[in-house]
């Protein structure tokens, strides 16, 4: 039962990884930008939620919406003021912009809030659990996180496949030149994509902060690594692959922790490397013809 519990807890951990990676997968799929600031934006979302609760008295559940709105608006500003210009300069320029943002965010957070953890408590919900019997238990909040991840990925899937704006986003990802010739302003498509991706990562950051009980400025350096590994394990361009990638990474870390407290990160990295070696397109990615 010990190993079953480790796998179960890993699946619950994978929910937060999948949600964190969803926005990263979307931006890369549509704009072909490797957003190096993704982890720091996630942490920024956690800070916004924490400040909204601590200083403005916003109920903790509603801080998620505040964080999504604030970081989503930031995504629009970043896209229209910086990334649009950078995309016209070459493939490397947008990545350098996101790298600069990844340096700015934690340093600003340190100046404003210091290195101390910024708390965001969910009260008794954070420790409440469901007893499954046989020594197995599922925490309510981790379960809520997994449900939220599935809901977000489902919503993105429906948006991309069942709505006109979503179809335009997919068409732009496939052939931006043809879409532009048909009268679609690519800049608006990219702005919409950035808003959705930034809002999604803010949701992940808020839930991550609630799960951890708080957040510190430099945690984004690690969370961005988890997000990239999740996307690559699942397969680039596959939303449901992102969920599978998060689960695989979460289980690897949880099983590693069961073997030794020093192994969680190493176990996750080893699984990531094995996927790269034996299935470089990811679990649900498309094979590239030789």
């Amino acid at each position: 039962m010990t190993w079953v519990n480790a796998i179960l807890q890993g699946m619950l951990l994978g929910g937060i990884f999948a949600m964190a990676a969803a926005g990263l997968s979307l931006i890369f799929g549509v704009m072909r930008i490797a957003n190096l600031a993704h982890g720091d934006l996630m942490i920024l979302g956690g800070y916004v939620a924490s400040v909204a609760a601590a200083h403005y008295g916003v109920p903790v559940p509603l801080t998620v919406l505040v964080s999504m709105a604030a970081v989503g608006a930031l995504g629009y500003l970043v896209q229209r003021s910086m990334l649009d210009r950078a995309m016209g300069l070459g493939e490397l320029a947008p990545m350098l912009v996101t790298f600069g943002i990844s340096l700015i965010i934690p340093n600003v957070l340190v100046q404003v809030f210091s290195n101390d953890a910024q708390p965001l408590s969910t009260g008794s919900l954070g420790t409440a659990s469901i007893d499954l019997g046989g020594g197995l238990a599922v925490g309510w909040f981790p379960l809520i996180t997994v449900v939220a991840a599935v809901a977000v990925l489902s919503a993105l899937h429906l948006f991309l496949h069942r709505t006109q704006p979503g179809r335009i986003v997919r068409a732009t990802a496939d052939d931006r030149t043809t879409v532009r010739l048909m009268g679609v302003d690519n800049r608006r498509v990219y702005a919409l994509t950035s808003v959705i991706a930034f809002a999604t990562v803010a949701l992940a950051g808020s839930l991550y902060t609630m799960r951890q009980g708080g957040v510190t400025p430099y945690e984004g350096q690690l969370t961005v690594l988890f997000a990239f590994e999740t996307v690559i394990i699942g397969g680039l361009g596959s939303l449901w692959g992102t969920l599978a990638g998060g689960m695989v990474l979460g289980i690897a870390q949880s099983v590693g922790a069961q073997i030794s407290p020093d192994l969680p990160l190493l176990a996750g990295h080893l699984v990531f490397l094995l996927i790269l070696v034996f299935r470089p397109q990811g679990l649900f990615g498309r094979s590239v013809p030789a």
Side-chain angles (χ1 to χ4, degrees), residues 78-166:
V78 168
Q79 181 62 44
R80 296 308 296 262
S81 63
M82 289 184 281
L83 290 179
D84 276 343
R85 297 179 183 180
M87 290 175 70
L89 299 177
E91 294 182 356
L92 186 60
M95 187 172 66
L96 293 177
V97 169
T98 64
F99 177 69
I101 295 172
S102 74
L103 296 178
I104 292 171
I105 289 176
N107 283 283
V108 170
L109 292 177
V110 167
Q111 291 298 318
V112 176
F113 300 101
S114 79
N115 274 316
D116 296 335
Q118 191 73 16
L120 184 60
S121 175
T122 57
S124 59
L125 181 63
T127 56
S129 63
I130 305 170
D131 186 4
L132 301 179
L136 299 179
V138 174
W140 270 109
F141 193 79
L143 182 60
I144 290 172
T145 301
V146 172
V147 172
V150 173
V152 166
L153 292 170
S154 298
L156 286 175
H157 179 82
L158 291 174
F159 169 74
L160 291 172
H161 291 83
R162 299 294 179 85
T163 69
Q164 186 65 19

Side-chain angles (χ1 to χ4, degrees), residues 187-238:
R187 293 175 300 176
R188 292 186 179 181
V189 177
Y190 296 151
L192 174 62
T193 302
S194 293
V195 168
I196 294 173
F198 277 51
T200 301
V201 78
L203 172 60
S206 301
L207 294 177
Y208 171 83
T209 303
M210 293 177 191
R211 177 172 177 144
Q212 299 294 110
V215 67
T216 56
Y218 290 104
E219 289 185 49
Q221 297 175 357
L222 189 59
T223 56
V224 70
L225 179 60
F226 293 156
F228 271 104
E229 288 183 342
T230 297
V231 170
I232 293 172
I233 290 172
L236 292 173
S238 172

Side-chain angles (χ1 to χ4, degrees), residues 47-60 62-63 66 112-113 118:
Y47 266 86
V48 171
S50 177
V51 169
H55 298 282
Y56 296 97
V58 179
V60 171
L62 295 181
T63 60
V66 174
V112 176
F113 300 101
Q118 191 73 16

